[in-house]
Amino acid sequence: MSDFVHYVDPEKSDLEAHTKVADVTALDGDQSNAAEVAKVRDIQQQNRVVRSMRHAEEWLDRKMGIELQGIDRIPEEEKRPPSIINIFLLWWSLNVHVGVVPLGLLGPIFGLTLGQSLGLRAIATSRYSFGWWGAKLCSVLNVIVGGGFAVVNYVVVGQVLSAVSDYTMSITVGIVIIAVISYIVSVFGFRLIHTFEKYSWISTFILFCVLIAQAAPNIDPNAPGFDTGLGYAGSFLSIVAINFSNSSGWCSISSDYYCNYPAKTPAWKIFALSFFGVVIPTTFSVTIGAAIGVPVFLTEYAPYADAYNQHSLGGLIAEIYHPVGWSKFCLIMLTFSVLGNNIAINYSSGLSLQLLGYYFHAVPRFIWSLLVAIVIAVLAIAGQESLETIVNNFVSLLGYWTVSFTIILLLEDKVFRRRDGYILTSWNQPENLPPGIAAVLALLCGYLGGGVPGMSQTWYIGPIALLFGPYGGDVGVYMSGAITLLVYPIARTIEKKHFGR
């Protein structure tokens, strides 16, 4: 889950041939950023609306200290890294929250029993493989990925707040409340996000432990599943694909939160803290969801089943916690658990949209983040009655793109730039970036050749997915990854030989 990038280090003897490249990068990095900033400032001066937005951003910075940094590369000497352990704790806050619990609920629903960088943002880094135009596609997909997860979070919080009010407050009001709070915090940027995420997971972890303890007497770990044989295998493949999609979705934004760490930070530390920081808390939250789903869908314990059928996840959690006063307190606290996740999505989505071009870059990040928050809230309000469908269908679709994106960046870094490294001044110079043909081709081949025939959705089951039982098994993620792994090395070799970059 770390950003798969490195830069040419002139101090290493085996890279002496590239010392000049590294030296040029070090000397000209500020000039490159200055040119980018100059173009953006020129646009802001010429356009009255954008100029007003910039003045508003500067006013907010003076009054409240919001972050002005956009997608521009952060030079080494300007980096202000938080503690390295923050990488691990960041992912706990992003994955230990009530919005992850629905992923675990899908297990029983399916009838399964319990059994540093370059100083660049993540999507900006993709220009070194996808090129100037291909990275724009990645930007759009990245916003869609974040938006999909945020919709789930908003709906769950709306259900929880509705349960606190004894269902006198609509889910829509709860969605609007969490959307406003998440956006306001995201405006303050990197420093506040890292500080907030360092601690916000602790109370949620404790409340989840209490939740499972109070539900435990009604959970039968030996409850029978719905199917056996190929049907069981298909359901298992689908639930694994959905949970992989949830975790892999962070690949396209992870370095947004690493870009202030020194370039010489050991890669193994970044990887280890990121990998275990994602895997451990995600497994914990999903297991909680799977456990409380057993009495609802498999053993059909009446109080839990009725609460879920009438008021969805919020009603179920309200029923599990007892007595009533304690239950309402826990629900209010769990409402804030999704803030860390939503804040990160708003922040990174704003950065992704700035990458679409100079005019997009000229619009301050807080404006883009506001538009993203509004769109997500509208979608959440529209889909509030279909949470299971959103999680089952939309989240798994995200994995088809994220797995290919991750593999492409990994191969680019570890194979094609293993000795050449990265010329940092080229990140915003289209003529010095790869054309991106190989990356886009590999992405499309992975999706069309693997994702489509291997997907298992309520609206479509691919021919290969149909091989796994009557309801199919979602193998699109695995096939997308395999095809991308095969196509990209061949296509990139041809592209680099032909274009020389």
Side-chain angles (χ1 to χ4, degrees):
M1 295 295 297
S2 63
D3 42 29
F4 307 109
V5 294
H6 69 281
Y7 73 112
V8 177
D9 188 348
E11 297 178 2
K12 294 184 179 180
S13 59
D14 62 335
L15 293 178
E16 288 180 355
H18 302 286
T19 299
K20 292 182 180 180
V21 175
D23 289 342
V24 170
T25 299
L27 292 171
D28 293 345
D30 290 341
Q31 295 178 13
S32 175
N33 268 348
E36 175 84 9
V37 171
K39 291 179 181 178
V40 170
R41 292 290 182 270
D42 185 56
I43 293 172
Q44 291 172 339
Q45 289 301 319
Q46 293 179 11
N47 188 297
R48 188 185 345 183
V49 175
V50 179
R51 184 169 64 250
S52 298
M53 292 178 181
R54 176 64 182 178
H55 290 162
E57 183 182 43
E58 292 171 344
W59 182 85
L60 289 171
D61 179 47
R62 290 194 301 270
K63 297 297 183 180
M64 296 186 292
I66 72 169
E67 180 182 283
L68 299 181
Q69 177 74 38
I71 60 167
D72 305 299
R73 189 177 70 83
I74 303 175
E76 197 68 15
E77 65 275 8
E78 295 181 12
K79 292 182 177 181
R80 300 292 182 268
S83 169
I84 191 72
I85 196 62
N86 274 36
I87 293 176
F88 181 73
L89 299 178
L90 167 75
W91 297 114
W92 274 81
S93 290
L94 295 183
N95 291 290
V96 177
H97 63 88
V98 71
V100 180
V101 173
L103 299 178
L105 284 175
L106 287 179
I109 289 174
F110 286 175
L112 300 177
T113 55
L114 285 176
Q116 35 329 319
S117 102
L118 302 179
L120 290 169
R121 309 296 181 165
I123 290 299
T125 301
S126 70
R127 285 179 173 176
Y128 286 95
S129 48
F130 282 87
W132 180 264
W133 295 103
K136 297 180 188 296
L137 171 64
C138 295
S139 296
V140 174
L141 291 172
N142 193 43
V143 174
I144 295 174
V145 166
F149 291 122
V151 166
V152 175
N153 294 341
Y154 282 25
V155 173
V156 171
V157 168
Q159 294 173 352
V160 168
L161 288 176
S162 179
V164 172
S165 69
D166 294 325
Y167 311 106
T168 58
M169 184 181 77
S170 71
I171 295 175
T172 298
V173 174
I175 290 172
V176 172
I177 291 173
I178 197 63
V180 171
I181 296 175
S182 299
Y183 168 71
I184 291 174
V185 179
S186 72
V187 167
F188 289 88
F190 180 91
R191 290 184 179 278
L192 181 60
I193 290 174
H194 260 279
T195 302
F196 181 85
E197 310 287 12
K198 186 175 182 178
Y199 304 105
S200 66
W201 64 274
I202 299 174
S203 60
T204 310
F205 179 81
I206 295 172
L207 289 175
F208 275 3
C209 290
V210 175
L211 178 71
I212 198 65
Q214 293 199 297
N218 303 306
I219 297 174
D220 180 6
N222 298 313
F226 294 157
D227 209 340
T228 58
L230 277 179
Y232 184 91
S235 297
F236 181 80
L237 288 169
S238 295
I239 191 68
V240 170
I242 291 170
N243 281 279
F244 171 80
S245 299
N246 170 64
S247 297
S248 66
W250 296 117
C251 291
S252 57
I253 72 170
S254 59
S255 67
D256 290 351
Y257 308 98
Y258 299 164
C259 58
N260 267 285
Y261 287 102
K264 294 183 180 180
T265 304
W268 69 265
K269 284 187 179 180
I270 299 290
F271 174 80
L273 291 170
S274 301
F275 180 80
F276 291 108
V278 171
V279 170
I280 296 174
T282 300
T283 301
F284 172 74
S285 299
V286 169
T287 302
I288 295 293
I292 65 175
V294 168
V296 175
F297 302 106
L298 297 184
T299 59
E300 297 184 350
Y301 176 62
Y304 289 3
D306 291 343
Y308 185 86
N309 291 333
Q310 293 175 21
H311 304 291
S312 197
L313 181 60
L316 173 60
I317 296 176
E319 179 66 30
I320 294 174
Y321 282 125
H322 55 274
V324 174
W326 167 249
S327 176
K328 290 190 175 183
F329 170 78
C330 292
L331 289 173
I332 292 173
M333 294 300 294
L334 287 178
T335 296
F336 295 101
S337 71
V338 303
L339 279 178
N341 193 283
N342 290 347
I343 290 166
I345 290 171
N346 283 345
Y347 178 76
S348 292
S349 295
L351 293 171
S352 292
L353 288 171
Q354 283 190 322
L355 198 72
L356 291 176
Y358 293 121
Y359 283 91
F360 288 86
H361 189 178
V363 176
R365 176 184 58 81
F366 83 97
I367 297 294
W368 289 124
S369 295
L370 174 62
L371 293 177
V372 168
I374 292 173
V375 171
I376 291 172
V378 170
L379 292 175
I381 292 170
Q384 60 184 272
E385 302 299 333
S386 307
L387 180 61
E388 291 173 13
T389 302
I390 295 172
V391 175
N392 186 10
N393 293 338
F394 187 78
V395 175
S396 60
L397 284 174
L398 303 181
Y400 306 148
W401 119 263
T402 54
V403 68
S404 295
F405 177 85
T406 304
I407 289 174
I408 289 169
L409 264 62
L410 178 61
L411 289 172
E412 182 69 26
D413 183 68
K414 300 305 180 185
V415 177
F416 295 100
R417 295 186 184 270
R418 187 167 179 268
R419 296 196 54 85
D420 294 343
Y422 297 80
I423 301 176
L424 301 188
T425 53
S426 297
W427 81 274
N428 57 356
Q429 300 171 356
E431 67 277 6
N432 294 326
L433 293 168
I437 299 172
V440 173
L441 176 64
L443 184 69
L444 292 177
C445 286
Y447 188 84
L448 298 176
V452 173
M455 70 170 61
S456 177
Q457 309 295 330
T458 55
W459 47 274
Y460 173 76
I461 301 178
I464 297 179
L466 272 174
L467 299 176
F468 297 90
Y471 304 106
D474 198 325
V475 293
V477 169
Y478 319 110
M479 293 177 60
S480 293
I483 292 175
T484 302
L485 190 62
L486 176 65
V487 172
Y488 187 68
I490 299 172
R492 182 69 174 111
T493 299
I494 298 172
E495 179 184 68
K496 196 168 185 179
K497 183 177 181 180
H498 182 75
F499 293 98
R501 49 191 169 95

